[in-house]
């Protein structure tokens, strides 16, 4: 090749070099844009799964609490360590839930770190760690969530009465109430308590429901104690520093050191005497008889006879044939705005 040909070839090369470089840049930009789009898609997938787990954790946890309480009700046997057993079952179910994402090229893990009491006695607190990985992208977050005992598509059972009465005849379920038959009277009799007969055929709530009459003195703010009557008929529960928390109820403990809840255990209605006053005077206490105070943590207090103290009869409703009553001590009467004796 002569010099002219060499020069022309070199000139031609320099003419096409910019185009070649431009093609390389465009190719790199296309690959980079594709990588960026894929990274964005991966990020959306990862965050979507993490959010899905965060949403479903309380729902699955609530199912665990319901199933554990039903397990205790069915057997009458308390859980030895409710926090540990609930945590273990919760972990099993979250492992199953996470496994459904394995076919999408993801590694999804949810570790239940702790199950314990919440500041709200109508909730159980769960701490967990969620980790989601896809490709080189990883998202991890620690969560603290409250599982409600009262809000949801199904109700949570109160297992405590079934544990306490198991060896005394057993409690049964009638619609949404616990029916004690002679089991509660037998339980109180076995502990040497006086006037145990008052709790033959007593009833209490099957499900944990939060009382809407708050402050609680509203129970006694009507002449005919309508609010108290509605509370009892609906089986509502109340916050209590003396009542057992839900997790300790699973263990068959009537009292515990945690901030808990209490509910009324209602004696069977008595037949009206011929002279019974069926007017507004029914709201006044009847000092003629006493029995263990009609609050579950008093009745199920196994710490000694001093823990199950007496209350005087309070008739809160009467009809043509029967009177409906509670036995309440002055401390609980004051709490619920009821007349003292």
């Amino acid at each position: 090749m002569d010099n002219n040909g060499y020069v022309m070839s070199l000139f031609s090369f320099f003419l096409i070099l910019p185009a070649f470089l431009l093609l390389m840049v465009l190719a790199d930009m296309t690959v980079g844009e594709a990588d960026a789009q894929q990274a964005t898609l991966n990020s959306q997938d990862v965050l979507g799964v993490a959010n899905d787990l965060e949403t479903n954790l309380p729902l699955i946890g609530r199912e665990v609490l319901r199933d554990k309480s039903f397990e205790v009700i069915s057997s009458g046997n308390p859980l030895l360590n409710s926090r540990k057993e609930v945590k273990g079952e919760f972990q099993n179910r979250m492992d199953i839930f996470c496994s459904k994402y394995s076919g999408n090229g993801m590694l999804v893990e949810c570790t239940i770190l702790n199950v314990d009491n919440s500041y709200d006695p109508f909730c159980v607190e769960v701490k967990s760690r969620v980790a989601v990985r896809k490709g080189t992208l990883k998202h991890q977050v620690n969560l603290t969530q409250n599982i409600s005992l009262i809000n949801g598509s199904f109700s949570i059972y109160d297992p405590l009465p079934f544990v306490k009465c198991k060896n005394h005849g057993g409690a049964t379920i009638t619609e949404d109430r616990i029916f004690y038959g002679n089991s509660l009277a037998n339980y109180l009799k076995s502990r040497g308590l006086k006037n145990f007969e008052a709790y033959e055929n007593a009833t209490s709530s099957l499900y944990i429901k939060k009382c809407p009459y708050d402050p609680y003195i509203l129970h006694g703010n009507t002449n005919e104690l309508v609010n108290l009557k509605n509370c009892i008929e609906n089986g509502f529960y109340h916050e209590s520093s003396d009542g057992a928390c839900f997790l300790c109820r699973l263990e068959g403990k009537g009292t515990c050191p945690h901030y808990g809840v209490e509910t009324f255990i209602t004696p069977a209605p008595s037949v009206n005497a011929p002279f019974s006053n069926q007017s507004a005077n029914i709201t006044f206490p009847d000092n003629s008889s006493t029995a263990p105070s009609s609050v579950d943590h008093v009745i199920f207090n196994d710490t000694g006879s001093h823990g199950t103290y007496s209350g005087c009869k309070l008739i809160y409703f009467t009809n043509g044939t029967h009177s409906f009553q509670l036995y309440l001590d002055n401390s609980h009467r004051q709490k619920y705005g009821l007349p003292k004796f």
Side-chain angles (χ1 to χ4, degrees), residues 113-134:
L113 302 173
N114 192 49
V115 173
D116 210 340
N117 297 81
S118 169
Y119 66 90
D120 181 350
F122 290 98
C123 293
V124 171
E125 183 184 87
V126 174
K127 293 183 178 180
S128 62
R129 181 173 61 247
V130 171
V132 183
R133 184 193 298 272
K134 186 174 185 180

Side-chain angles (χ1 to χ4, degrees), residues 179-323:
F179 180 69
Y180 292 95
N182 60 7
S183 65
L184 184 55
N186 289 341
Y187 163 77
L188 295 171
K189 181 181 179 181
S190 71
R191 295 175 52 210
L193 296 170
K194 296 180 179 179
N195 299 329
F196 59 85
E197 302 92 343
Y199 288 94
E200 291 280 358
N201 297 319
T203 64
S204 64
S205 178
L206 176 63
Y207 302 114
I208 296 178
K209 295 176 282 187
K210 187 175 183 178
C211 184
Y213 300 117
D214 192 357
Y216 295 148
I217 58 172
L218 293 176
H219 287 71
N221 73 339
T222 56
N223 289 335
E224 297 184 355
L225 302 184
V226 173
N227 290 351
L228 176 62
K229 176 177 178 291
N230 289 337
C231 172
I232 293 170
E233 290 179 349
N234 284 282
F236 290 135
Y237 283 69
H238 311 90
E239 295 186 15
S240 172
S241 58
D242 298 316
C245 70
F246 177 75
L247 291 173
C248 286
R249 286 171 182 265
L250 287 171
E251 297 173 355
K253 298 175 181 177
T255 59
C256 71
H258 313 107
Y259 191 54
V261 295
E262 67 182 20
T263 192
F264 297 119
I265 295 181
T266 313
S270 58
V271 178
N272 283 340
F275 56 86
S276 290
N277 188 342
Q278 300 177 24
S279 66
N281 290 333
I282 63 172
T283 62
F284 290 96
D286 178 358
N287 297 329
S288 62
S289 60
T290 62
S293 188
S294 303
V295 182
D296 64 345
H297 69 79
V298 179
I299 288 179
F300 292 133
N301 190 320
D302 288 333
T303 59
S305 58
H306 66 280
T308 304
Y309 42 81
S310 293
C312 285
K313 182 187 291 186
L314 173 66
I315 299 176
Y316 63 88
F317 176 71
T318 186
N319 56 25
T321 59
H322 292 83
S323 292

Side-chain angles (χ1 to χ4, degrees), residues 41-145:
L41 292 175
N42 287 347
S43 177
Q44 291 174 345
D45 289 345
V46 166
L47 291 178
V49 170
N51 290 334
D52 193 31
L53 287 174
E54 184 174 354
T55 299
N56 282 279
L57 268 162
L59 303 179
I60 295 173
R62 184 175 165 82
E63 291 178 353
V64 172
L65 295 179
R66 176 198 60 186
D67 294 347
K68 282 296 181 183
S69 62
F70 187 72
E71 175 186 321
V72 174
I73 283 176
S74 300
S75 67
N77 298 322
L79 302 184
L80 297 179
N81 186 330
S82 62
R83 290 155 182 81
K84 181 179 179 180
E85 293 185 50
V86 168
K87 176 186 173 184
E89 180 59 27
F90 201 171
Q91 184 65 67
N92 291 338
R93 299 195 189 189
M94 289 311 303
D95 289 344
I96 294 172
F97 186 83
C98 290
S99 67
K100 72 178 187 178
Y101 296 104
S102 59
N104 298 327
M106 288 188 176
L107 178 61
V108 181
E109 295 179 336
C110 177
T111 304
I112 305 300
L113 302 173
N114 192 49
V115 173
D116 210 340
N117 297 81
S118 169
Y119 66 90
D120 181 350
F122 290 98
C123 293
V124 171
E125 183 184 87
V126 174
K127 293 183 178 180
S128 62
R129 181 173 61 247
V130 171
V132 183
R133 184 193 298 272
K134 186 174 185 180
T136 59
L137 185 62
K138 181 179 180 180
H139 175 78
Q140 181 171 300
V141 61
N142 289 341
L143 301 172
T144 299
Q145 296 171 294

